[in-house]
Amino acid sequence: MKEEIATIVRLGVPAMLGQAGMMLLHAVDTMMLGHYGVSDLAAASLGTQWIFVTMTVAMGFVMGLDPQIAQAHGAQDRIGLIRAFHGGLGVAFLSALALSLAWSQTESVLLLFGQRPELARRAAAYVQPQIISTIPLLGWVALRSYLQGRGIMQPAMWVMLPVNLLNILFNWLFIYGNGGFAEYGLEGAAYATTLS
């Protein structure tokens, strides 16, 4: 029993922290924009909800790779492992294209759901600069799934630590215009997350 609990903790805690680190990116944007302005905070919060809903669907397609990788790894099927990984990258790319399309339509979708036009426009201004991050984001999900399916849990966790620190730094620079950068406000938070 102790062995099973230790295995669950060894595998589960890094996976949980890696996922939490990814979710923290937009939480940091929201917190830092809260000090910048109420309308920017509202737009980022609404935009983040659209990002999470659509990203969860896209990530679900990519994470279909998990059992294939685990089965191939358990069977010591090197060719199956490579095929599953390549297939996962292909699904990540196609999902990123669909996610980019969804994010490009942020304003229209929010208006369809009855949001105020100005708030929908500002939320789109937060979401749309992040479109270029969809391929790296879902590629990271595929790589994480590949490693985790092989029982290698810690890299995803350790990657997210410097990424979140960079996001804090970039937010400080781009939202508020510190360090000689222009003050971008809401869009600055989007640029920070994209670069991170």
Side-chain angles (χ1 to χ4, degrees):
M1 181 73 166
K2 279 185 182 179
E3 238 177 75
E4 287 86 1
I5 291 172
T7 300
I8 289 170
V9 169
R10 181 179 57 80
L11 296 174
V13 170
M16 180 184 70
L17 292 174
Q19 186 66 28
M22 193 170 81
M23 293 169 55
L24 191 58
L25 288 171
H26 290 100
V28 166
D29 290 354
T30 304
M31 286 187 281
M32 293 185 81
L33 282 167
H35 296 282
Y36 189 76
V38 175
S39 64
D40 292 306
L41 175 61
S45 297
L46 185 59
T48 295
Q49 293 311 308
W50 178 240
I51 286 170
F52 277 148
V53 166
T54 53
M55 187 170 60
T56 300
V57 173
M59 285 175 58
F61 287 116
V62 179
M63 290 169 65
L65 170 68
D66 290 3
Q68 296 174 8
I69 292 289
Q71 287 172 354
H73 178 67
Q76 297 182 350
D77 177 6
R78 189 169 186 276
I79 300 300
L81 199 60
I82 292 167
R83 284 187 183 144
F85 178 58
H86 288 168
L89 287 176
V91 170
F93 179 75
L94 293 174
S95 297
L97 294 180
L99 189 59
S100 297
L101 179 62
W103 289 4
S104 73
Q105 298 304 309
T106 299
E107 184 175 359
S108 301
V109 171
L110 294 176
L111 289 171
L112 186 67
F113 283 102
Q115 293 297 329
R116 292 190 323 270
E118 178 59 19
L119 182 57
R121 185 185 65 75
R122 297 289 291 142
Y126 173 71
V127 173
Q128 289 174 346
Q130 298 180 60
I131 288 173
I132 62 171
S133 71
T134 58
I135 291 175
L137 169 70
L138 292 174
W140 176 81
V141 172
L143 289 168
R144 180 187 68 180
S145 291
Y146 173 74
L147 292 173
Q148 289 180 355
R150 297 178 58 214
I152 305 168
M153 310 304 278
Q154 294 201 4
M157 176 186 72
W158 290 116
V159 163
M160 290 315 296
L161 177 64
V163 165
N164 274 287
L165 292 174
L166 279 174
N167 190 43
I168 292 168
L169 173 64
F170 291 153
N171 270 318
W172 181 76
L173 294 172
F174 302 150
I175 292 173
Y176 304 105
N178 293 312
F181 286 87
E183 182 178 336
Y184 291 108
L186 178 68
E187 290 84 357
Y191 302 146
T193 300
T194 299
L195 284 172
S196 299

